[in-house]
Amino acid sequence: MYLDPDEEKMLAGERGETLQKMLELLVALGKVFGAERLVRIRSAQVSGASYKTIGEYGLAWLSSLDARAVVPAVLNPIGMPRGRWKEMGIEPAFAERQQAVIAAYERLGVNLECTCTPYYLHETSFGDHLAWSESSAVSYANSVIGARTNREGGPGALAAALVGKTPCYGLHLDKNRTPDVVIDIKSDEKDWGIARFGALGYHAGKLVGNKIPFFRGISPNHDQLKALGAAMAATGAVALYHVNGVTPEAKKNQFDISGLEVISIGSADIEQLYTDIPVDAVAVGCPHCSPDELIEIARLLNGKTVTKPLYIFAAQGVIGNNRMTIDKIEKSGARVYADTCMVVSPVMEQYPAIMVNSGKALAYVPDMCGAVARIGSIEECVTVATS
Ligand code: F3S
């Protein structure tokens, strides 16, 4: 693997032990995956931020590092909202260790945003190289923005943030970004909402595994694409997909899809995911809500009071920029939390059945929260939470 003179010096330890170790890690990854060189990244998104996941060993490792991020870097959601953990019922002992993890990342120059939607916070453009970890964020960056990132593990993403580069292999290369399966949607999707695209992604992910699908017959907007990609990354391992005439690389390139396997998905395939089981709580914001989603939730909740816990999750920066909308939502008794989510927060484990509007949450809530999950549109979620 080629290293330029600066990288050689770093690898020789001339820029300190931490950067030496970080570059060793990146070079090792590059060699495993056949990278010929490193590539500069525009930003990093680092998983391994929840104390529940990394524990004392992870915290000790982070605390041993001595360097600062050289590109904008954010964290994945953690187990609690930093400012409102008491209100959420988080145990003080857990909160104290979680704060220690966050402090360790802050010392490394990582921005203390804990979100799976970094694209709402840091400008990310077509063709940018990134080192992002969270699967829905990776899918969105690659597919909806046309940026380039592999799905990084936590240490790899942190190393990339500190060095400012990542090994150039996989989805950083044109040749690995072409479709390898076609999905034809045999259904009129004109009145589909975000949840219906999440349900489509839930079903499609199971069918395609880690292939790159090329969808025909749908025209989703950005929030719907976000839901579709998040679910396919959860039930499958889809890190990039294209939608004919919609996603940037599908618009820019004439992909040769002749000879590819063609899968048809119809309404019945998606309908079978819907149930009307009674639920104990409702959770929205997987992936974290966009400003438009928050506005829609506020509109639906206007004049209503929640009768079941209604949790809404979004990035701290998005919440801060939409304070009036958040106040309108919380007037109903619903709560909008930053930094965490329905899957990584222990608070959701108290509910036996949870309603969501996300295909990804439908896939993860049963295992991660030990709850039965039901999917419904955002309108249905608000109706269930307020009736
Ligand atoms: Fe984000 Fe948590 Fe869903 S990290 S994609 S809200 S499971």
Side-chain angles (χ1 to χ4, degrees):
M1 185 171 160
Y2 168 78
L3 296 181
D4 70 23
D6 275 353
E7 293 160 357
E8 291 285 7
K9 283 184 191 165
M10 198 181 282
L11 196 60
E14 290 185 25
R15 304 266 310 278
E17 195 185 343
T18 295
L19 287 179
Q20 181 184 27
K21 278 188 193 152
M22 295 296 109
L23 189 53
E24 279 171 3
L25 194 158
L26 296 176
V27 169
L29 270 175
K31 284 184 177 165
V32 167
F33 291 104
E36 293 181 357
R37 63 185 176 92
L38 299 170
V39 63
R40 280 188 192 285
I41 55 164
R42 185 156 188 199
S43 63
Q45 190 242 5
V46 182
S47 61
S50 171
Y51 180 70
K52 186 175 158 183
T53 325
I54 69 167
E56 283 302 313
Y57 285 111
L59 177 54
W61 181 71
L62 287 173
S63 305
S64 73
L65 303 178
D66 183 17
R68 302 274 300 173
V70 293
V71 295
V74 300
L75 294 172
N76 221 22
I78 56 175
M80 62 181 207
R82 277 174 294 145
R84 298 173 80 178
W85 58 269
K86 282 190 191 145
E87 164 191 329
M88 210 186 190
I90 300 291
E91 292 294 324
F94 177 86
E96 188 266 320
R97 298 321 282 155
Q98 182 63 76
Q99 303 278 22
V101 173
I102 292 298
Y105 276 113
E106 187 171 29
R107 207 175 47 78
L108 297 171
V110 175
N111 181 343
L112 297 191
E113 273 284 1
C114 308
T115 182
C116 49
T117 55
Y119 39 87
Y120 296 143
L121 307 173
H122 295 294
E123 194 182 336
T124 308
S125 306
F126 186 91
D128 285 348
H129 292 275
L130 316 168
W132 288 9
S133 293
E134 199 280 322
S135 66
S136 78
V138 167
S139 170
Y140 194 95
N142 280 318
S143 314
V144 184
I145 300 174
R148 292 168 177 234
T149 177
N150 293 313
R151 186 177 176 190
E152 300 289 347
L158 180 59
L162 300 179
V163 172
K165 296 174 184 175
T166 195
C168 192
Y169 68 92
L171 293 175
H172 291 283
L173 302 173
D174 284 343
K175 64 177 183 175
N176 297 324
R177 298 180 65 88
T178 56
D180 40 29
V181 59
V182 175
I183 300 184
D184 278 337
I185 305 303
K186 304 287 186 194
S187 170
D188 184 358
E189 54 89 46
K190 276 203 288 293
D191 57 352
W192 283 15
I194 289 169
R196 191 60 58 138
F197 279 97
L200 168 62
Y202 180 103
H203 184 68
K206 288 188 171 181
L207 299 176
V208 302
N210 64 357
K211 290 182 180 164
I212 300 175
F214 182 86
F215 284 89
R216 296 189 296 203
I218 51 173
S219 311
N221 64 29
H222 280 192
D223 283 331
Q224 293 164 344
L225 289 166
K226 179 175 74 167
L228 173 67
M232 281 195 293
T235 58
V238 176
L240 165 65
Y241 64 95
H242 304 287
V243 179
N244 190 27
V246 175
T247 51
E249 284 173 64
K251 285 205 263 191
K252 183 168 176 272
N253 302 314
Q254 284 293 325
F255 291 125
D256 179 10
I257 55 170
S258 59
L260 295 184
E261 177 192 5
V262 178
I263 296 171
S264 289
I265 296 179
S267 299
D269 299 311
I270 299 166
E271 284 299 329
Q272 41 128 3
L273 299 172
Y274 285 74
T275 66
D276 57 2
I277 56 162
V279 296
D280 308 286
V282 179
V284 175
C286 172
H288 280 171
C289 286
S290 67
D292 284 350
E293 287 176 284
L294 291 172
I295 289 167
E296 175 65 357
I297 294 166
R299 187 186 70 75
L300 292 167
L301 281 170
N302 187 24
K304 296 183 179 158
T305 304
V306 298
T307 54
K308 283 189 177 62
L310 172 54
Y311 295 90
I312 296 152
F313 300 97
Q316 184 68 61
V318 171
I319 291 174
N321 289 337
N322 293 274
R323 207 55 255 178
M324 277 170 57
T325 305
I326 303 302
D327 290 346
K328 283 183 194 162
I329 292 173
E330 295 208 327
K331 203 170 160 200
S332 70
R335 287 291 169 262
V336 185
Y337 289 120
D339 305 327
T340 188
C341 80
M342 63 195 77
V343 169
V344 298
S345 169
V347 82
M348 301 308 293
E349 291 167 11
Q350 65 187 297
Y351 303 111
I354 301 170
M355 185 164 187
V356 297
N357 71 332
S358 154
K360 173 166 180 174
L362 182 69
Y364 276 20
V365 159
D367 282 347
M368 298 289 287
C369 307
V372 179
R374 166 183 168 189
I375 191 167
S377 67
I378 187 60
E379 291 84 357
E380 289 163 338
C381 284
V382 168
T383 300
V384 165
T386 56
S387 55

